[in-house]
Every structure is written in C-alpha cells, then in structure tokens.
Amino acid sequence: MKVFVTGATGYIGGSVAKVLIDAGHTVYGLVRNPDKINALKELGIDPVLGTLDDTEVLARYAEQSDAVIHTADSDHRLAVETFISALRGSGKPFLHTSGSSVVGDDARGDAVSEQIYDEETPFTPMDTREDRVAINNQVRRAGIDDAVRSVVIVPSMIYGEALGLPTDSDQLPQIIRKSREVGAGVHVGKGVNRWSNVHIRDLAQLYLLALTKAPSASYFFAENGEESYGDIAIAVSKALGFGGKTVSWSAEDAIAELGDWARFAIASNSRVRAVHARNLLGWKPAEESLLDWIEIHLK
C-alpha cells in the first residue's frame, strides 16, 4: 500500500512511517525542512517537500496514495479539509491524529479526577480543546457523508525512543528538562493529577492495525496504563540521581513558562481506556510501562 504520512520527521509520524515500511508499505513523507530529505531517504521514506498549507501538494499525494495518515498538527483544519476533499468518494483510509487532552480538565495538578473515559463516554472539552474536538468530529463525519474510511486516533501521554528520526515526545521531556534544572523531580501543584500513557512502539502498531482493519468513522483511544504526575516525578528524580526528591511547580509558573499547553498537558487529568482498539482491532500493547521505561532508560 502507498501511504502519505504528514509529520514524517516528527515523533509520531516518523515512528509510524518506520513501522509501515517494515510491514512492506511504501511511504511518502511530508517534510518542511529540505535539510532532512536525505535522512528520510535513509529510513526508506520517499520525501515530499511542503507544508500543511500547500494544499495542492496535499491533494496530489492523497489522490495518488492508497491512504493518508495525518500526524503533523491535530489542529490544522485546512489540511484536514484538504484531505477529506481529495479523498471524497474513494473509500480510502484517512487516519487523523488527535490527543487525549480533549478529555482533560483544569485541575492544575491539585485534584485527581474519578472520571475515566472510553470511546463512547460523552464529554465536554476544555475551552482550549473545543476546536480540536470539532475537527475530530469532522473527520468522523467524513466516514459517513463522504465515502472516506476515516479514523481518529487519540493517543494519551506517549513515551519511548522515536523509531524514525531522533526527536522527542511532548510531556515527559518537559518534566525531565525542568527536573534537571531544579535538581528534583517536578510536578505541577500537588501532582495528584493522573494521565493515561502509551509506548510509541505500541502506538505505531495501532496505526498499522487501523490502516487495514478500522471501520469507517471510528475513534480509538491509545493507552496501556496510567500514572499520577507525582509518581512520574518520583521516578524521574530517582533515575536522574536526585534520590526521589520532588518539588511542586506552581501552575501559574508552569503556564508562564510553557504557555497554556502546561494547563492541559501536564496539570490536567486525562484518564482513558482503549476499549475499541483492543476489542475491534485486536491491539495488544506489549512494551514496558512508563515507570519502568523511566527507570531503565533515563540516566
């Protein structure tokens, strides 16, 4: 199968592209920076120079590919609409990447939510995630109205080494960076807020399964466990040689340094269960847990 992947130099996109290639698929990878073209070629990816605003490029490669996997920007409505338009009536798979912060809250690290979501649980998104949820719904509707086999994949906190070009995920690296800076494991507020998590290898395998098996208009959380940010801070502290010492990072200071991203990414609760991925696709996560990964790999 010929698959057009956006974000091919990124953490998710590069990892998904590598798994696709290993499975025998041909991958066209969208890349903004021409300096990374040769590196993509070395991975076996056919580079496509352009950005998500280059609608003619997106449409052309969507039309000449057997499937599109969009990992570059969950909030880029123009790209999503371009892909839906290009794929309309084709029945081709269109996999769109979201994130489980869509069910996040404004806990600011000080409260643990008892609410656990599966794919069928109704929710009202935070103000910062309303547009993302609207895009998710637009993708799913394309699976009903536009004869596109549309799929929304919703990863939780991702960890593990990238399978493509060297790059990092979002949440855990920020905690590690700040912990190194202050000499102790860091959590926002009380650190009791909990997030589900998933290893990048397991996540990439979910994309591979969804490409061939997912029903149209489907929606998949991706997780294999959950932890509180307080326990993550302890694990990071021990791995970095700080003896388990932790400190609280106030929500106000975290937001001032990292922007509103801190509020929904490291200060919120996002507790999800990947029921559909396991039951509909037979997804079986097999990699080490988040805390085990920190203990083994973070030095």
Side-chain angles (χ1 to χ4, degrees):
M1 188 180 292
K2 297 177 181 178
V3 185
F4 182 36
V5 177
T6 67
T9 62
Y11 182 66
I12 298 177
S15 298
V16 170
K18 181 63 166 60
V19 166
L20 291 173
I21 290 168
D22 289 347
H25 297 288
T26 297
V27 175
Y28 302 119
L30 188 69
V31 54
R32 291 179 299 177
N33 186 347
D35 293 339
K36 295 184 178 182
I37 285 177
N38 288 335
L40 287 185
K41 288 181 178 178
E42 291 176 2
L43 291 175
I45 299 171
D46 293 334
V48 176
L49 189 62
T51 72
L52 294 179
D53 294 316
D54 295 330
T55 56
E56 291 185 6
V57 173
L58 300 189
R60 181 167 70 252
Y61 275 88
E63 290 167 357
Q64 71 183 48
S65 299
D66 301 307
V68 172
I69 298 180
H70 179 43
T71 74
D73 184 345
S74 300
D75 304 309
H76 201 291
R77 186 181 295 273
L78 176 62
V80 168
E81 292 177 346
T82 299
F83 285 134
I84 291 173
S85 177
L87 297 172
R88 184 172 289 120
S90 69
K92 294 178 181 179
F94 172 40
L95 278 58
H96 172 69
T97 306
S98 183
S100 73
S101 63
V102 294
V103 300
D105 57 20
D106 198 16
R108 304 197 174 214
D110 288 336
V112 58
S113 172
E114 298 303 320
Q115 179 67 62
I116 299 175
Y117 299 86
D118 65 29
E119 293 88 350
E120 304 297 335
T121 309
F123 67 93
T124 300
M126 293 173 63
D127 53 351
T128 57
R129 284 294 176 255
E130 290 174 352
D131 289 344
R132 179 171 294 188
V133 170
I135 290 173
N136 292 349
N137 292 338
Q138 184 176 4
V139 172
R140 298 187 73 189
R141 282 195 301 270
I144 299 170
D145 299 333
D146 298 308
V148 177
R149 186 158 68 83
S150 62
V151 179
V152 177
I153 295 181
V154 189
S156 51
M157 184 194 308
I158 315 171
Y159 62 96
E161 298 293 334
L163 309 182
L165 299 186
T167 186
D168 289 326
S169 59
D170 291 329
Q171 291 156 289
L172 185 57
Q174 288 290 358
I175 296 299
I176 294 169
R177 176 196 62 80
K178 192 65 176 180
S179 297
R180 291 186 192 276
E181 178 183 312
V182 303
V186 168
H187 54 75
V188 175
K190 296 177 181 178
V192 296
N193 55 310
R194 299 183 68 84
W195 261 74
S196 298
N197 52 73
V198 62
H199 195 287
I200 185 62
R201 288 185 181 273
D202 289 326
L203 177 61
Q205 288 297 323
L206 176 58
Y207 279 84
L208 184 62
L209 286 169
L211 180 64
T212 56
K213 297 179 64 175
S216 188
S218 53
Y219 185 93
F220 299 100
F221 283 126
E223 59 74 32
N224 190 36
E226 67 171 38
E227 299 293 344
S228 73
Y229 267 98
D231 286 342
I232 293 171
I234 292 171
V236 168
S237 174
K238 290 179 178 178
L240 293 179
F242 301 141
K245 177 185 176 182
T246 64
V247 297
S248 175
W249 192 10
S250 76
E252 292 74 16
D253 288 346
I255 293 169
E257 181 172 331
L258 300 176
D260 206 44
W261 177 89
R263 185 165 68 102
F264 63 75
I266 60 174
S268 65
N269 292 277
S270 179
R271 307 179 68 187
V272 302
R273 298 294 182 267
V275 175
H276 283 184
R278 290 178 170 88
N279 292 346
L280 296 180
L281 302 182
W283 182 57
K284 297 179 180 179
E287 300 297 328
E288 61 208 347
S289 71
L290 172 60
L291 297 188
D292 285 346
W293 185 88
I294 291 171
E295 179 182 356
I296 294 167
H297 297 281
L298 180 59
K299 301 297 179 185

